[in-house]
Amino acid sequence: MKKMPKLPRIPLKYLIIIVALFLFWPLLFGGYYAMYNLYRSVDPTQFPAVSEAVSETMALTGANATDPEKGAALLTSVSAQLQRELDSPFGWSANDAFYFPTKYLDNRANRQRGVIFATRMLTRYFSTHLAKLGQADPENEHLKEVREKHIVYGAEIWGFFRASAEKEYKRSIELMDEYKAELADGKATFNARTDDIYNNLTFIDGEEFLGQVLGSLVQANDEVSFWELDDRIKYAQGVVLVVRDYLTMLVHLYPEIVEKGGEQNVAVAFKDMDRICTFDPLIVLRGDHDSLLADHRGKMARYFISMMRRLEDLANSLRS
């Protein structure tokens, strides 16, 4: 009987290297997962519900409220996410100097850039359309100052020799509060009729607003660097955080939106918004074509497309 050849003996050091390679990746990802969960326990990265300020305001203001009360409530929903970011554990980090550790939390910074973009857009619309009776009427002085001077301030300006982004955004919220006080005293205007709500939904769903964000999500993978993928996803999330607060309040104050637009449209639109606001993959991947890897940016884009179609249906139903 022929003897089996002896297998070569593997030196111990090579065995150690092989075992180390097998253990390296699980340990690396396990360590990263643990650290990321620790970070999330301090500074949330998922937002399953609207902001606390919006929830509290909705509990006090409903469909039977007066126009001034509705105007104050709706404006609260515009600034709620900006206020939350300013008050968050690490504050406004989009403008942190290079020697601050929070400077390198780029997902957080890009979410904040999305928040300020959406806040600017809704503030502009509110001031130029809803805070006056007609197009020929002058804007409210406080809101005009917010729109032209403070809310447009650069998100990355640290403010060593000039005002910081935080200071300007806090001033924006102060001026919004002054407008609310004028509403309560009968010295300011808020006007939102069916046509105004239709125009508002169309504006939000248009190319200048949500359409612009969608464009950054559907751009071809070979035109977007790997390092930009998570930035675009978090920016889109920041935008929708503000939009979800605003639309939640709008539907709460004007239930005819649901009555005319259909409960299914509203339910699906908000479900997609919730998915976007809780979208937080541990590692953002970009699977191309038939790749086994996930295409996270594409998945976010699909949520956006579904949400925007439902908002379009809602707007059209108000017009018919």
PDB file of all heavy atoms in Angstrom, residues 60-71 73 253-254:
ATOM      1  N   LEU A  60     -50.775  72.034  21.449  1.00  0.00           N
ATOM      2  CA  LEU A  60     -51.419  73.268  21.891  1.00  0.00           C
ATOM      3  C   LEU A  60     -52.192  73.978  20.781  1.00  0.00           C
ATOM      4  O   LEU A  60     -52.994  74.865  21.055  1.00  0.00           O
ATOM      5  CB  LEU A  60     -50.359  74.229  22.455  1.00  0.00           C
ATOM      6  CG  LEU A  60     -49.557  73.731  23.660  1.00  0.00           C
ATOM      7  CD1 LEU A  60     -48.435  74.712  23.987  1.00  0.00           C
ATOM      8  CD2 LEU A  60     -50.462  73.542  24.868  1.00  0.00           C
ATOM      9  N   THR A  61     -51.936  73.607  19.520  1.00  0.00           N
ATOM     10  CA  THR A  61     -52.524  74.313  18.383  1.00  0.00           C
ATOM     11  C   THR A  61     -53.087  73.303  17.392  1.00  0.00           C
ATOM     12  O   THR A  61     -52.397  72.366  16.999  1.00  0.00           O
ATOM     13  CB  THR A  61     -51.474  75.178  17.672  1.00  0.00           C
ATOM     14  OG1 THR A  61     -50.749  75.943  18.636  1.00  0.00           O
ATOM     15  CG2 THR A  61     -52.132  76.115  16.675  1.00  0.00           C
ATOM     16  N   GLY A  62     -54.331  73.510  16.975  1.00  0.00           N
ATOM     17  CA  GLY A  62     -54.954  72.574  16.044  1.00  0.00           C
ATOM     18  C   GLY A  62     -55.662  73.267  14.901  1.00  0.00           C
ATOM     19  O   GLY A  62     -55.476  74.466  14.664  1.00  0.00           O
ATOM     20  N   ALA A  63     -56.517  72.514  14.230  1.00  0.00           N
ATOM     21  CA  ALA A  63     -57.204  73.041  13.048  1.00  0.00           C
ATOM     22  C   ALA A  63     -58.153  74.177  13.385  1.00  0.00           C
ATOM     23  O   ALA A  63     -58.462  75.003  12.522  1.00  0.00           O
ATOM     24  CB  ALA A  63     -57.965  71.903  12.365  1.00  0.00           C
ATOM     25  N   ASN A  64     -58.613  74.252  14.626  1.00  0.00           N
ATOM     26  CA  ASN A  64     -59.554  75.306  15.020  1.00  0.00           C
ATOM     27  C   ASN A  64     -58.865  76.566  15.520  1.00  0.00           C
ATOM     28  O   ASN A  64     -59.538  77.511  15.952  1.00  0.00           O
ATOM     29  CB  ASN A  64     -60.492  74.776  16.115  1.00  0.00           C
ATOM     30  CG  ASN A  64     -61.379  73.649  15.609  1.00  0.00           C
ATOM     31  OD1 ASN A  64     -61.823  73.667  14.463  1.00  0.00           O
ATOM     32  ND2 ASN A  64     -61.627  72.666  16.456  1.00  0.00           N
ATOM     33  N   ALA A  65     -57.550  76.594  15.453  1.00  0.00           N
ATOM     34  CA  ALA A  65     -56.805  77.759  15.921  1.00  0.00           C
ATOM     35  C   ALA A  65     -57.034  78.954  15.001  1.00  0.00           C
ATOM     36  O   ALA A  65     -57.450  78.810  13.846  1.00  0.00           O
ATOM     37  CB  ALA A  65     -55.317  77.426  15.989  1.00  0.00           C
ATOM     38  N   THR A  66     -56.756  80.126  15.497  1.00  0.00           N
ATOM     39  CA  THR A  66     -56.857  81.338  14.686  1.00  0.00           C
ATOM     40  C   THR A  66     -55.692  81.393  13.701  1.00  0.00           C
ATOM     41  O   THR A  66     -54.682  80.682  13.862  1.00  0.00           O
ATOM     42  CB  THR A  66     -56.816  82.584  15.575  1.00  0.00           C
ATOM     43  OG1 THR A  66     -55.541  82.646  16.238  1.00  0.00           O
ATOM     44  CG2 THR A  66     -57.925  82.542  16.621  1.00  0.00           C
ATOM     45  N   ASP A  67     -55.825  82.246  12.692  1.00  0.00           N
ATOM     46  CA  ASP A  67     -54.742  82.387  11.713  1.00  0.00           C
ATOM     47  C   ASP A  67     -53.420  82.801  12.365  1.00  0.00           C
ATOM     48  O   ASP A  67     -52.369  82.237  12.028  1.00  0.00           O
ATOM     49  CB  ASP A  67     -55.133  83.395  10.628  1.00  0.00           C
ATOM     50  CG  ASP A  67     -56.061  82.778   9.594  1.00  0.00           C
ATOM     51  OD1 ASP A  67     -56.209  81.534   9.588  1.00  0.00           O
ATOM     52  OD2 ASP A  67     -56.639  83.533   8.787  1.00  0.00           O
ATOM     53  N   PRO A  68     -53.416  83.780  13.292  1.00  0.00           N
ATOM     54  CA  PRO A  68     -52.143  84.119  13.952  1.00  0.00           C
ATOM     55  C   PRO A  68     -51.528  82.935  14.702  1.00  0.00           C
ATOM     56  O   PRO A  68     -50.318  82.740  14.677  1.00  0.00           O
ATOM     57  CB  PRO A  68     -52.544  85.247  14.912  1.00  0.00           C
ATOM     58  CG  PRO A  68     -53.723  85.880  14.268  1.00  0.00           C
ATOM     59  CD  PRO A  68     -54.481  84.737  13.652  1.00  0.00           C
ATOM     60  N   GLU A  69     -52.370  82.132  15.343  1.00  0.00           N
ATOM     61  CA  GLU A  69     -51.858  80.960  16.065  1.00  0.00           C
ATOM     62  C   GLU A  69     -51.290  79.936  15.087  1.00  0.00           C
ATOM     63  O   GLU A  69     -50.248  79.326  15.358  1.00  0.00           O
ATOM     64  CB  GLU A  69     -52.973  80.336  16.897  1.00  0.00           C
ATOM     65  CG  GLU A  69     -53.393  81.186  18.092  1.00  0.00           C
ATOM     66  CD  GLU A  69     -54.647  80.667  18.778  1.00  0.00           C
ATOM     67  OE1 GLU A  69     -55.428  79.929  18.137  1.00  0.00           O
ATOM     68  OE2 GLU A  69     -54.862  80.997  19.966  1.00  0.00           O
ATOM     69  N   LYS A  70     -51.965  79.754  13.966  1.00  0.00           N
ATOM     70  CA  LYS A  70     -51.456  78.822  12.956  1.00  0.00           C
ATOM     71  C   LYS A  70     -50.137  79.321  12.371  1.00  0.00           C
ATOM     72  O   LYS A  70     -49.210  78.534  12.140  1.00  0.00           O
ATOM     73  CB  LYS A  70     -52.488  78.639  11.846  1.00  0.00           C
ATOM     74  CG  LYS A  70     -53.710  77.831  12.256  1.00  0.00           C
ATOM     75  CD  LYS A  70     -54.666  77.629  11.095  1.00  0.00           C
ATOM     76  CE  LYS A  70     -55.850  76.765  11.488  1.00  0.00           C
ATOM     77  NZ  LYS A  70     -56.773  76.519  10.349  1.00  0.00           N
ATOM     78  N   GLY A  71     -50.047  80.622  12.126  1.00  0.00           N
ATOM     79  CA  GLY A  71     -48.810  81.175  11.582  1.00  0.00           C
ATOM     80  C   GLY A  71     -47.635  80.981  12.519  1.00  0.00           C
ATOM     81  O   GLY A  71     -46.535  80.607  12.093  1.00  0.00           O
ATOM     82  N   ALA A  73     -47.368  78.670  14.843  1.00  0.00           N
ATOM     83  CA  ALA A  73     -47.065  77.236  14.919  1.00  0.00           C
ATOM     84  C   ALA A  73     -46.285  76.781  13.695  1.00  0.00           C
ATOM     85  O   ALA A  73     -45.319  76.019  13.802  1.00  0.00           O
ATOM     86  CB  ALA A  73     -48.365  76.440  15.054  1.00  0.00           C
ATOM     87  N   LEU A 253     -52.497  71.407  10.938  1.00  0.00           N
ATOM     88  CA  LEU A 253     -53.270  72.649  10.987  1.00  0.00           C
ATOM     89  C   LEU A 253     -54.354  72.714   9.917  1.00  0.00           C
ATOM     90  O   LEU A 253     -55.381  73.374  10.109  1.00  0.00           O
ATOM     91  CB  LEU A 253     -52.324  73.847  10.834  1.00  0.00           C
ATOM     92  CG  LEU A 253     -51.272  74.043  11.932  1.00  0.00           C
ATOM     93  CD1 LEU A 253     -50.330  75.188  11.562  1.00  0.00           C
ATOM     94  CD2 LEU A 253     -51.936  74.321  13.284  1.00  0.00           C
ATOM     95  N   TYR A 254     -54.098  72.016   8.802  1.00  0.00           N
ATOM     96  CA  TYR A 254     -55.043  72.060   7.674  1.00  0.00           C
ATOM     97  C   TYR A 254     -55.401  70.632   7.253  1.00  0.00           C
ATOM     98  O   TYR A 254     -54.883  70.099   6.272  1.00  0.00           O
ATOM     99  CB  TYR A 254     -54.418  72.833   6.510  1.00  0.00           C
ATOM    100  CG  TYR A 254     -54.083  74.263   6.864  1.00  0.00           C
ATOM    101  CD1 TYR A 254     -52.796  74.610   7.287  1.00  0.00           C
ATOM    102  CD2 TYR A 254     -55.055  75.260   6.808  1.00  0.00           C
ATOM    103  CE1 TYR A 254     -52.497  75.916   7.645  1.00  0.00           C
ATOM    104  CE2 TYR A 254     -54.765  76.569   7.150  1.00  0.00           C
ATOM    105  CZ  TYR A 254     -53.488  76.890   7.577  1.00  0.00           C
ATOM    106  OH  TYR A 254     -53.186  78.186   7.923  1.00  0.00           O
TER     107      TYR A 254
END
